[in-house]
Amino acid sequence: MLLVGLVLEGLGLGAFGSDPGLVLNLGVLLLVGLGQGWTEVATNYCLVRLEKPGESRLMNLIHAGFTAGACLGPAGVGVLLANGLPWRLAYEGVALLLLGVALVILRMSFPFAPAAEAASSRRALGSLARDPLLVLLGAVIFLYVGAEIGISSWIAEYYVETFAVSTATGAYMVSVVWLGLLLGRLVLSAGYKGRRQVPLLLGLTCLAALPLALALCSDSPWVAGGLFLVSGLGFSAVYPVVMALVGEHFTREQSLAIGLVSGAGGVGALCFPFAMAAIAGRFSIAQSFWFCAATAWVMALAAGAVLAQSRHRRSQDQLLENSTSRSR
């Protein structure tokens, strides 16, 4: 899955923009999306198998690579545009990197045993889809990806329209947001050795939501930029922590549970750009950012529900264990 996903991404990015036809470019972007989906699910599964129970340090560390690319990508495009170079160089360069990584994956061995899972079936899928904890974790990822995509995709235009800055400055603001995510994931990977992942998730979602709302109230581009950076710190480990929790709580159908929650993020990535565009077109870009802020607060509420559900599940497990001990 990793190998095929990387090849699809590389071929799609390498072909994008090679012809002005709309159909071709939509087709190759579909290949890129398919490749990203395969790579994401397979990578998360591998990390869950390698992660120590109750921790998310490896998940944060590896997903820091995602944010590093998200920081360097917009900055690199800004440099290309500032120097009058063809924008396709960025796509072709990343395509070559992806194909190079695919060659490395082809020669790798994976030092962990697959999980002892029951065969995935319609019954298992239905059972997981009705599990309250998995539904709540999927909701957190759906809202997280929606807010993250909305902010990172539109912040350049938000700065140009709200603060009348140059387009290059707006492009650099995309890197500022992703810098916050990168720093947060690196700090938590290196510094957080605790196993209380659910309270950590709640704290992160609140840290993401509050500075985001404050940034939208600011009249200073510098103050707003600092608050967007802090909000990025809050968003940073939401995805890795949720994936670690899925791997910890759903060991029997681990790969299927990871796929479902990752799919919830894919739905968010699909739906929220349409919502943001509709709000911006009817009202303004500022109103679409308030929509993102509201989404972040709903995400925090969903994280609070995850905390309540996990405590309820733990108490139920303790009651079951006690009753089993008495019967023996």
Side-chain angles (χ1 to χ4, degrees), residues 201-233:
L201 176 63
L202 179 58
L204 288 167
T205 55
C206 292
L207 182 61
L210 181 58
L212 176 58
L214 294 175
L216 301 181
C217 297
S218 175
D219 295 327
S220 167
W222 299 103
V223 173
L227 289 168
F228 278 121
L229 178 67
V230 175
S231 182
L233 292 172

Side-chain angles (χ1 to χ4, degrees), residues 71 74-80 82 155-156 166-178:
C71 289
V77 172
V79 171
L80 288 176
I155 192 170
S166 67
T167 53
T169 301
Y172 292 135
M173 284 306 304
V174 180
S175 295
V176 168
V177 173
W178 286 107

Side-chain angles (χ1 to χ4, degrees), residues 44-108:
N44 286 333
Y45 178 76
C46 292
L47 289 171
V48 163
R49 302 302 304 148
L50 292 168
E51 192 76 74
K52 292 181 180 178
E55 293 189 2
S56 60
R57 298 181 68 188
L58 290 179
M59 195 72 75
N60 273 302
L61 179 61
I62 299 302
H63 280 275
F66 178 91
T67 54
C71 289
L72 294 173
V77 172
V79 171
L80 288 176
L81 294 176
N83 288 278
L85 296 172
W87 58 269
R88 286 200 68 241
L89 286 178
Y91 286 80
E92 293 168 347
V94 175
L96 290 175
L97 287 174
L98 287 167
L99 294 175
V101 173
L103 291 176
V104 175
I105 293 293
L106 187 63
R107 302 179 62 85
M108 280 186 65

Side-chain angles (χ1 to χ4, degrees), residues 59-284:
M59 195 72 75
N60 273 302
L61 179 61
I62 299 302
H63 280 275
F66 178 91
T67 54
C71 289
L72 294 173
V77 172
V79 171
L80 288 176
L81 294 176
N83 288 278
L85 296 172
W87 58 269
R88 286 200 68 241
L89 286 178
Y91 286 80
E92 293 168 347
V94 175
L96 290 175
L97 287 174
L98 287 167
L99 294 175
V101 173
L103 291 176
V104 175
I105 293 293
L106 187 63
R107 302 179 62 85
M108 280 186 65
S109 60
F110 292 84
F112 55 82
E117 302 184 24
S120 297
S121 63
R122 186 177 300 178
R123 181 180 299 177
L125 181 63
S127 176
L128 285 172
R130 292 189 300 269
D131 189 290
L133 183 58
L134 191 73
V135 170
L136 288 169
L137 290 170
V140 171
I141 290 297
F142 169 77
L143 296 164
Y144 157 76
V145 171
E148 178 196 80
I149 289 289
I151 294 166
S152 61
S153 298
W154 288 79
I155 192 170
E157 188 166 348
Y158 174 81
Y159 256 71
V160 170
E161 183 176 308
T162 304
F163 300 115
V165 300
S166 67
T167 53
T169 301
Y172 292 135
M173 284 306 304
V174 180
S175 295
V176 168
V177 173
W178 286 107
L179 177 62
L181 276 87
L182 172 62
L183 293 176
R185 288 177 179 177
L186 289 176
V187 167
L188 285 172
S189 177
Y192 185 72
K193 300 180 181 180
R195 297 192 174 187
R196 302 186 64 194
Q197 298 299 317
V198 180
L200 175 63
L201 176 63
L202 179 58
L204 288 167
T205 55
C206 292
L207 182 61
L210 181 58
L212 176 58
L214 294 175
L216 301 181
C217 297
S218 175
D219 295 327
S220 167
W222 299 103
V223 173
L227 289 168
F228 278 121
L229 178 67
V230 175
S231 182
L233 292 172
F235 278 111
S236 63
V238 171
Y239 191 100
V241 168
V242 168
M243 288 301 162
L245 287 170
V246 172
E248 179 184 354
H249 287 282
F250 299 93
T251 54
R252 280 186 57 81
E253 293 289 353
Q254 206 170 62
S255 58
L256 187 57
I258 291 171
L260 285 171
V261 175
S262 297
V267 174
L270 174 67
C271 295
F272 273 78
F274 289 106
M276 291 282 289
I279 295 170
R282 185 172 180 83
F283 301 102
S284 68

Side-chain angles (χ1 to χ4, degrees), residues 15-39:
F16 182 72
S18 60
D19 184 272
L22 177 63
V23 175
L24 172 67
N25 288 299
L26 288 177
V28 297
L29 285 179
L30 179 62
L31 287 181
V32 173
L34 287 171
Q36 287 177 336
W38 285 32
T39 304

